[in-house]
Short mmCIF file of all heavy atoms in Angstrom, two decimals:
data_model
loop_
_atom_site.label_atom_id
_atom_site.label_comp_id
_atom_site.label_asym_id
_atom_site.label_seq_id
_atom_site.Cartn_x
_atom_site.Cartn_y
_atom_site.Cartn_z
N PRO A 147 -10.35 20.97 -28.09
CA PRO A 147 -11.78 20.72 -28.41
C PRO A 147 -12.51 21.95 -28.93
O PRO A 147 -13.46 21.81 -29.71
CB PRO A 147 -12.36 20.26 -27.07
CG PRO A 147 -11.20 19.69 -26.33
CD PRO A 147 -10.02 20.51 -26.72
N ASP A 148 -12.09 23.16 -28.54
CA ASP A 148 -12.77 24.37 -29.01
C ASP A 148 -12.28 24.83 -30.38
O ASP A 148 -12.73 25.87 -30.89
CB ASP A 148 -12.63 25.50 -27.99
CG ASP A 148 -11.18 25.91 -27.76
OD1 ASP A 148 -10.28 25.37 -28.44
OD2 ASP A 148 -10.94 26.77 -26.89
N GLY A 149 -11.34 24.10 -30.96
CA GLY A 149 -10.86 24.43 -32.30
C GLY A 149 -9.65 25.33 -32.34
O GLY A 149 -9.09 25.57 -33.43
N THR A 150 -9.18 25.82 -31.21
CA THR A 150 -7.98 26.66 -31.20
C THR A 150 -6.74 25.79 -31.39
O THR A 150 -6.69 24.64 -30.95
CB THR A 150 -7.86 27.45 -29.89
OG1 THR A 150 -7.84 26.52 -28.78
CG2 THR A 150 -9.03 28.40 -29.72
N VAL A 151 -5.75 26.35 -32.06
CA VAL A 151 -4.52 25.60 -32.35
C VAL A 151 -3.65 25.56 -31.10
O VAL A 151 -3.32 26.59 -30.51
CB VAL A 151 -3.76 26.24 -33.52
CG1 VAL A 151 -2.44 25.50 -33.76
CG2 VAL A 151 -4.60 26.23 -34.78
N GLU A 152 -3.29 24.36 -30.71
CA GLU A 152 -2.45 24.15 -29.53
C GLU A 152 -0.98 24.01 -29.92
O GLU A 152 -0.09 24.59 -29.29
CB GLU A 152 -2.92 22.90 -28.81
CG GLU A 152 -2.21 22.59 -27.52
CD GLU A 152 -2.84 21.40 -26.82
OE1 GLU A 152 -3.32 20.48 -27.50
OE2 GLU A 152 -2.85 21.40 -25.57
N TYR A 153 -0.72 23.21 -30.95
CA TYR A 153 0.63 23.00 -31.47
C TYR A 153 0.56 22.86 -32.98
O TYR A 153 -0.49 22.55 -33.54
CB TYR A 153 1.27 21.72 -30.88
CG TYR A 153 1.39 21.70 -29.39
CD1 TYR A 153 0.59 20.86 -28.62
CD2 TYR A 153 2.32 22.51 -28.73
CE1 TYR A 153 0.69 20.82 -27.25
CE2 TYR A 153 2.43 22.49 -27.35
CZ TYR A 153 1.62 21.64 -26.61
OH TYR A 153 1.73 21.61 -25.24
N ARG A 154 1.70 23.08 -33.62
CA ARG A 154 1.83 22.80 -35.05
C ARG A 154 2.86 21.67 -35.21
O ARG A 154 3.86 21.62 -34.50
CB ARG A 154 2.27 24.03 -35.82
CG ARG A 154 1.16 25.08 -35.92
CD ARG A 154 1.15 25.76 -37.28
NE ARG A 154 -0.19 26.23 -37.59
CZ ARG A 154 -0.62 27.47 -37.41
NH1 ARG A 154 0.19 28.35 -36.86
NH2 ARG A 154 -1.84 27.81 -37.74
N LEU A 155 2.59 20.80 -36.18
CA LEU A 155 3.42 19.62 -36.39
C LEU A 155 3.93 19.61 -37.83
O LEU A 155 3.13 19.69 -38.77
CB LEU A 155 2.61 18.35 -36.11
CG LEU A 155 3.30 17.01 -36.32
CD1 LEU A 155 4.38 16.80 -35.26
CD2 LEU A 155 2.28 15.87 -36.26
N SER A 156 5.23 19.53 -38.00
CA SER A 156 5.80 19.41 -39.34
C SER A 156 7.23 18.91 -39.22
O SER A 156 7.82 18.90 -38.14
CB SER A 156 5.78 20.75 -40.08
OG SER A 156 6.75 21.64 -39.56
N MET A 157 7.79 18.51 -40.35
CA MET A 157 9.21 18.17 -40.38
C MET A 157 10.02 19.45 -40.33
O MET A 157 9.54 20.52 -40.74
CB MET A 157 9.53 17.37 -41.64
CG MET A 157 8.74 16.08 -41.76
SD MET A 157 9.16 15.11 -43.23
CE MET A 157 10.68 14.33 -42.67
N PRO A 158 11.25 19.41 -39.82
CA PRO A 158 12.09 20.60 -39.82
C PRO A 158 12.41 21.01 -41.26
O PRO A 158 12.56 20.16 -42.14
CB PRO A 158 13.34 20.16 -39.06
CG PRO A 158 13.37 18.67 -39.22
CD PRO A 158 11.94 18.24 -39.25
N THR A 159 12.49 22.31 -41.50
CA THR A 159 12.72 22.80 -42.85
C THR A 159 13.93 23.72 -42.92
O THR A 159 14.44 24.18 -41.90
CB THR A 159 11.48 23.56 -43.37
OG1 THR A 159 11.22 24.70 -42.52
CG2 THR A 159 10.26 22.66 -43.39
#
Side-chain angles (χ1 to χ4, degrees):
D148 62 4
T150 58
V151 177
E152 184 175 34
Y153 301 109
R154 289 219 153 97
L155 178 69
S156 73
M157 300 182 80
T159 61

